[in-house]
Amino acid sequence: MPQDSAPIDPVDLTAQLVRCASVTPEEGGALVLLENLLSEAGFTCTRVDRGGIANLFARWGEKGAARSFGFNGHTDVVPVGDAAAWTADPFGAEIRDGQLWGRGATDMKSGVAAFAAAAIDFVRTTPPEGAILLAITGDEEGDAQDGTVALLDWMATEGEAMSACLVGEPTCPETMGDMMKIGRRGSMSAWITLTGVQGHSAYLHRALNPLPAMARLADRLSSHVLDDGTDHFDPSTLAVVTIDTGNPATNVIPESTRMTVNIRYNDAHSGDSLTRWLQSELDSVCDSFGVTGEMTVKNSGESFLTPPGPLSDLVSSAVQAETGQTPVLSTSGGTSDARFVKDHCPVVEFGLVGQTMHQVDERVDIAHIEQLKAIYARVLKDYFA
């Protein structure tokens, strides 16, 4: 490394990013900070903003290189909630008790800082035969339609491509190095409305109550076994998350009632197959009770799996070397932007212990940030070896 180019401190960079109040969809200065840092290190940087969302693409090396390793992450964060409940300034990046405190410290400004620092140090010391790409969004915690999706759309248009990608989301449940993600369950929600005829509760024959029909539908959906799990996934689940009628009266049969369900599904299903199943259950209940039904579905992402192989082996080996732990290959948890990247190239996820993400007093161990940079640096070294 040149004498005037000291290694990038991932802890200091995390602190700088935490001090950027980048609550979705605000950029907050986080991507400007990274763009300046990466540009100074020789990365070609492009802002890929879309729909009011800020995104950053950075490449070191030639476009179209035969071997290109990518990192993906986000700098946007969820709201702080009740600021008075925090024992530290949510955007102060206070260091206390060996931890860095603040919104986004875990999810996932530390991850972005770690891979940016590892990438900069790597190209300065051992310029690889190939390219390193960073795709960083400000829209992972929001609707996620103008974030990583926008970056991938732009990359396809511009001929930019990753051969493999590592997403830096928090993946470890308990200890650093105990888990990595090789896939994610699909996620979808359905909003169902049943409509009958309003009337007086003393004159049932003049009304058509949609509530018994909704109770039947809720029971049929929630008691149905979608599957028993697959080789790499736990069983799919359906949760009834709310039933709303809004009827304060005790002597009025309501005209309509609404229910929302959320499904987390494995690779035995698709969003389309589950939508067809929901519709058939809805139609059956409507026919039985004589009510009418409407349904709106939003599929947040299909399930996907990167089968165990070269990419998971590469990351697992680096994690084991730096932590002494061999990470479990998991598909658990919610959704991440890996669900978009998987259509572009093989993708896995590895990051910090996520116990405090999205919580009041979110914080991260200083030692874990440094360890994460070392893991990412070893991944790059081994990939380009």
Side-chain angles (χ1 to χ4, degrees), residues 46 48 57 59 63-64 151-161:
T46 306
V48 188
F57 175 84
R59 171 177 38 82
K63 179 193 293 188
L151 284 160
L152 293 170
D153 289 345
W154 178 86
M155 289 170 64
T157 300
E158 296 296 320
E160 301 278 4

Side-chain angles (χ1 to χ4, degrees), residues 156-304:
T157 300
E158 296 296 320
E160 301 278 4
M162 299 180 285
S163 304
C165 182
L166 175 53
V167 178
E169 286 280 357
T171 59
C172 300
E174 301 293 338
T175 60
M176 191 64 180
D178 62 1
M179 183 176 290
M180 62 182 289
K181 307 287 187 179
I182 59 170
R184 293 277 187 163
R185 296 180 298 174
S187 175
M188 63 183 292
S189 296
W191 292 265
I192 298 170
T193 300
L194 296 184
T195 302
V197 177
Q198 182 175 317
H200 198 296
S201 59
Y203 302 94
L204 297 181
H205 61 287
R206 296 177 181 172
L208 179 58
N209 193 342
L211 281 168
M214 187 64 86
R216 178 71 59 81
L217 181 60
D219 176 64
R220 288 179 62 155
L221 296 182
S222 60
S223 61
H224 179 75
V225 177
L226 289 166
D227 57 73
D228 295 318
T230 62
D231 288 345
H232 294 283
F233 288 87
D234 290 334
S236 302
T237 61
L238 180 147
V240 176
V241 296
T242 187
I243 298 177
D244 303 295
T245 304
N247 179 21
T250 60
N251 60 347
V252 175
I253 292 171
E255 179 184 33
S256 64
T257 184
R258 294 162 295 281
M259 175 174 67
T260 305
V261 301
N262 180 257
I263 304 176
R264 302 299 172 115
Y265 60 94
N266 59 34
D267 52 354
H269 309 275
S270 68
D272 287 343
S273 69
L274 288 168
T275 298
R276 290 192 296 271
W277 169 68
L278 288 170
Q279 188 65 56
S280 68
E281 294 293 315
L282 173 59
D283 292 343
S284 176
V285 167
C286 287
D287 289 344
S288 296
F289 286 83
V291 298
T292 59
E294 296 180 353
M295 181 175 71
T296 301
V297 173
K298 179 180 179 181
N299 188 18
S300 299
E302 298 286 348
S303 68
F304 74 92

Side-chain angles (χ1 to χ4, degrees), residues 71-72 105-112 114-115 166-182 184 315 319 323 325 327-328 348-355 357 364-365 368-369 371-373 375-376 379:
F71 288 97
N72 171 253
T106 299
D107 188 15
M108 58 165 287
K109 290 182 174 180
S110 48
V112 172
F115 68 60
L166 175 53
V167 178
E169 286 280 357
T171 59
C172 300
E174 301 293 338
T175 60
M176 191 64 180
D178 62 1
M179 183 176 290
M180 62 182 289
K181 307 287 187 179
I182 59 170
R184 293 277 187 163
V315 177
V319 172
T323 69
Q325 291 211 72
V328 173
V348 297
E349 302 172 58
F350 180 79
L352 296 169
V353 177
Q355 291 181 347
M357 59 182 176
V364 59
D365 286 357
H368 288 175
I369 302 176
Q371 206 168 27
L372 188 61
K373 178 190 173 182
I375 291 168
Y376 291 156
V379 167

